[in-house]
Amino acid sequence: MTAADDGTLVETGPSDEPGVLYDVRDGVGVITFNRPQRLNAWGPDIAAGFYASIDHAEADPAVRAIVVTGSGRGFCAGADLGGGAQTGPSTDASGTDVSQLVGDRHPHFLTELRKPVIAAINGSCVGIGLTHALMCDVRFAAAGAKFATAFTRRGLIAEHGITWILPRLVGWGAAMDLLLSGRTFLAEEARELGLVNHVVAPELLLERAMDYAADLAANCSPASMAVIKGQVYRDALDDVAAVSARAETLMYESLARPDLIEGITSFFEKRPPNFPPLT
């Protein structure tokens, strides 16, 4: 037994199943955290599988959007506090090797991908699991799903960029509340705060998220989505004059791409667009 960041005691016995499942459906790469016995608490097995799956999806021209979800009752219930602990200079007070636990990428790498990432949050979303969900571009949540930052209740600090993304999503006051209190809140409050985009019935969650992602894959220019995603995250750190000047340059570049002709032609011909893949 071990504890996830949400305080739940979960089984952490060995499993022959991969820590992360990956498949492609309708132009969408579907990544599923696959340690339901521990509510998909983050550990080296999930980290390695997640990075490999993301790399596959990012490199595959047939994949135009990515959905991330969890198996069982949890999306990712924080860090696996106690599974496979080691000792060394990077260990915390519990004996856990933090660098091995987190993996070799911080969650903000999701904002640097060229393809949109949609989180389908099926259950507990806590700590590092919450940070990963916030670094996705769009979030669907199952009604009643539990969220928490939890850091102050574990004697930790706000980790891995959550202090950068959370205030941008929910505002300063709400972010301070959630970070300082570490309290548990439900998907419905998360929607009111703007932390998630959509709350749906649990049995419809993956279907709704997949429908959204498949629509992006079928009807939106991969090149346009890649540029806009880069604009949003980069422009948040700059002044409006610099942002406007950079947007003008990007606009001229977009005028030279075949996506523009296809987008206009398909509109007038009243047919779905056939945009070229990212190169």
Side-chain angles (χ1 to χ4, degrees), residues 26-40:
D26 300 324
V28 180
V30 184
I31 299 172
T32 306
F33 299 142
N34 190 40
R35 286 293 180 261
Q37 72 275 17
R38 65 176 199 240
L39 299 180
N40 301 311

Side-chain angles (χ1 to χ4, degrees), residues 162-219:
I162 195 171
T163 51
W164 181 84
I165 191 66
L166 186 57
R168 285 171 165 77
L169 292 173
V170 304
W172 197 273
M176 291 300 288
D177 164 36
L178 299 178
L179 288 167
L180 293 176
S181 71
R183 65 182 177 84
T184 297
F185 57 101
L186 301 182
E188 290 73 14
E189 182 180 356
R191 175 67 185 90
E192 292 176 3
L193 292 172
L195 191 149
V196 301
N197 303 84
H198 307 278
V199 175
V200 299
E203 65 273 15
L204 298 177
L205 174 69
L206 189 57
E207 177 184 344
R208 285 283 304 278
M210 286 295 300
D211 286 347
Y212 180 90
D215 178 62
L216 298 185
N219 297 304

